[in-house]
């Protein structure tokens, strides 16, 4: 099984565009040598992020963009911008670049769904070109995740710097919708469970545990896909060459054989099995980072007086084939 259909390593609609260039290099979208060459470096670089630095950066950006005006902030904007800005800063981006980067990442991710419109693809291409322009120039980004990744990759002669730049951009695009969903779903969980909200308000450490259980119970990424390059058998079924499998990670999280009473939201389950971040060779390297970013932002919102119950009463969700992201502005 492979992560892309045989014969279409890059979606035909973006072949030859800047968006296609990034897509074609992503470890997420490759198997075999391109994946094996960079995945260990990406994992090691993310694992090397200093958690204290990440937390203080997230708090600083939160204060700078929202300040004390929690009631007046647009939650949807917070969800789609802050996590990307945090990862951009970890990559070594300077403050004046952040707005351009965050907008470009949000444009770039629009080309990822299979049903992307021509307008979305054009915006994605413009965003991708801006991001490549910024991240193909590693100068001035010393001491960050990007320079760490570049240093590690340069130890292998066969990795070109374009692949490193694309995957640095990939860290932000992987963060964007998934972490927005995780923060949003945590706010919904808090808004619907007064006891949990009280716990989060008085014991901020509990937010980490709540976020981890929301990851399982209300998975921000619901599914991923695999494509058969040869006829094979999966779980007793024959999968023909060229067939696609939709792997419903969110359903696996609710399998009673994996988690007793799976439909109950129970922070602190000590034997939780969570499939939200995938498994095997393509497992997400950003799990700890994503959970930490989500916990800090939820903490800042709650500590600043946000009342999640007001937002969780009627929630709509952004249209998406694989992500579950609340749309608060519509909910009111
Ligand atoms: C709640 C947030 C996140 C969720 C739910 C999530 C989920 C996933 C899943 C399910 C995969 C595997 C897809 C597959 O096997 O088909 C994946 C891959 C990946 N994720 Fe995440 N992710 C999140 C955040 C992040 C963050 C913050 C980063 C980095 C800063 C990141 C970086 C990556 C990368 C590089 C891959 C590709 C790994 C590979 O193909 O080997 N993710 N993610």
């Amino acid at each position: 099984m492979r992560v892309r259909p045989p014969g279409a390593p890059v979606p035909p609609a973006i072949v030859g565009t800047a968006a296609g260039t990034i897509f074609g290099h992503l470890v997420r979208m490759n198997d075999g040598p391109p994946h094996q060459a960079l995945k260990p470096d990406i994992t090691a670089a993310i694992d090397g992020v200093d958690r204290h630095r990440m937390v203080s950066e997230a708090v600083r950006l939160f204060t700078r963009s929202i300040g004390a005006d929690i009631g007046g902030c647009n939650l949807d904007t917070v969800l789609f911008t802050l996590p990307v800005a945090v990862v951009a800063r970890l990559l070594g981006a300077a403050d004046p670049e952040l707005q351009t980067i965050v907008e470009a990442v949000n444009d770039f991710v629009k080309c990822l769904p299979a049903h992307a419109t021509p307008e979305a693809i054009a915006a994605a291409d413009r965003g991708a070109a801006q991001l490549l322009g910024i991240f193909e120039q590693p100068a001035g980004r010393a001491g960050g995740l990007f320079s760490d990744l570049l240093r590690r990759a340069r130890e292998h002669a066969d990795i070109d710097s374009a692949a490193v730049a694309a995957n640095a951009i990939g860290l932000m695009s992987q963060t964007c919708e998934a972490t927005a969903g995780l923060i949003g779903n945590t706010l919904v969980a808090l808004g619907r469970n007064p006891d949990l909200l009280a716990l989060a308000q008085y014991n901020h450490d509990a937010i980490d545990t709540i976020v981890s259980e929301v990851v399982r119970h209300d998975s921000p990424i619901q599914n991923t896909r695999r494509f058969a390059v040869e006829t094979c058998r999966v779980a007793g079924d024959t999968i023909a060459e060229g067939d696609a499998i939709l792997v419903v990670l969110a359903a696996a999280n609710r399998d009673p054989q994996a988690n007793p009473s799976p439909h109950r939201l129970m922070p602190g389950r000590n034997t939780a099995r969570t499939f939200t971040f995938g498994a095997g060779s393509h497992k997400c390297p950003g799990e700890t980072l994503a959970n930490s970013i989500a916990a800090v932002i939820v903490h800042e919102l709650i500590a600043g007086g946000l009342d999640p119950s007001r937002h969780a009463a009627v929630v709509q969700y952004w249209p998406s084939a694989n992500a579950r992201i609340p749309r608060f502005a519509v909910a009111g």
Side-chain angles (χ1 to χ4, degrees):
M1 307 301 294
R2 300 284 185 268
V3 290
R4 289 292 306 158
V10 174
I14 58 169
V15 168
T17 67
T21 301
I22 296 177
F23 191 102
H25 280 302
L26 295 178
V27 292
R28 165 75 183 80
M29 302 300 175
N30 278 281
D31 289 290
H35 179 260
Q36 288 153 8
L38 255 182
K39 177 76 183 282
D41 293 335
I42 291 174
T43 305
I46 295 175
D47 288 348
V49 167
D50 176 350
R51 190 187 142 88
H52 293 293
R53 177 168 169 224
M54 188 286 291
V55 171
S56 60
E57 195 57 65
V59 172
R60 187 184 72 88
L61 291 174
F62 186 95
T63 309
R64 201 183 69 151
S65 58
I66 297 155
D69 188 21
I70 305 278
C73 77
N74 180 322
L75 261 189
D76 294 324
T77 308
V78 173
L79 265 50
F80 283 99
T81 57
L82 264 183
V84 176
V86 172
V87 175
R89 284 287 294 157
L90 294 177
L91 285 165
D95 276 351
E97 297 173 306
L98 283 185
Q99 191 172 345
T100 305
I101 291 174
V102 167
E103 284 173 11
V105 169
N106 275 276
D107 281 342
F108 170 62
V109 297
K110 294 194 177 99
C111 73
L112 300 177
H115 57 267
T117 62
E119 294 75 27
I121 287 174
D125 192 30
R126 282 193 300 276
Q130 279 179 305
L131 292 167
L132 285 173
I134 294 170
F135 283 91
E136 277 177 347
Q137 311 295 332
R141 305 197 192 286
L145 182 52
F146 182 47
S147 66
D148 188 19
L149 187 56
L150 204 54
R151 181 183 57 74
R152 290 172 190 277
R154 279 184 178 150
E155 288 168 13
H156 322 282
D158 51 342
I159 299 179
D160 68 37
S161 49
V164 178
N167 277 284
I169 295 165
L171 298 185
M172 296 183 290
S173 61
Q174 295 283 145
T175 298
C176 187
E177 297 193 336
T179 313
L182 179 52
I183 298 167
N185 295 341
T186 304
L187 293 174
V188 171
L190 291 173
R192 291 182 179 166
N193 293 275
D195 293 349
L196 278 189
L197 179 57
L199 181 67
Q201 281 164 332
Y202 294 106
N203 174 5
H204 292 153
D205 291 343
I207 296 176
D208 289 323
T209 320
I210 295 169
V211 166
S212 298
E213 172 67 343
V214 169
V215 163
R216 182 197 70 80
H217 185 262
D218 197 7
S219 188
I221 296 297
Q222 296 268 303
N223 62 62
T224 185
R225 284 157 209 261
R226 288 296 185 269
F227 304 88
V229 282
E230 57 189 54
T231 299
C232 56
R233 288 183 73 75
V234 175
D237 285 322
T238 299
I239 310 294
E241 179 183 339
D243 276 359
I245 295 184
L246 186 72
V247 186
V248 186
L249 305 165
N253 290 337
R254 299 287 193 104
D255 181 345
Q257 289 184 25
N259 293 295
S261 307
H263 305 307
R264 285 189 58 204
L265 180 71
M266 286 168 54
R269 287 171 180 264
N270 51 16
T271 54
R273 289 187 63 201
T274 301
F275 300 89
T276 302
F277 292 94
S281 67
H282 281 279
K283 187 176 185 339
C284 178
E287 175 173 357
T288 308
L289 182 60
N291 287 354
S292 302
I293 293 174
V296 180
I297 295 174
V298 168
H299 170 259
E300 291 304 298
L301 287 166
I302 301 293
L306 180 91
D307 176 7
S309 59
R310 194 170 65 82
H311 295 278
V314 188
V315 177
Q316 296 194 9
Y317 288 83
W318 292 96
S320 171
N322 73 331
R324 181 166 160 85
I325 313 171
R327 188 174 187 175
F328 293 111
V330 176

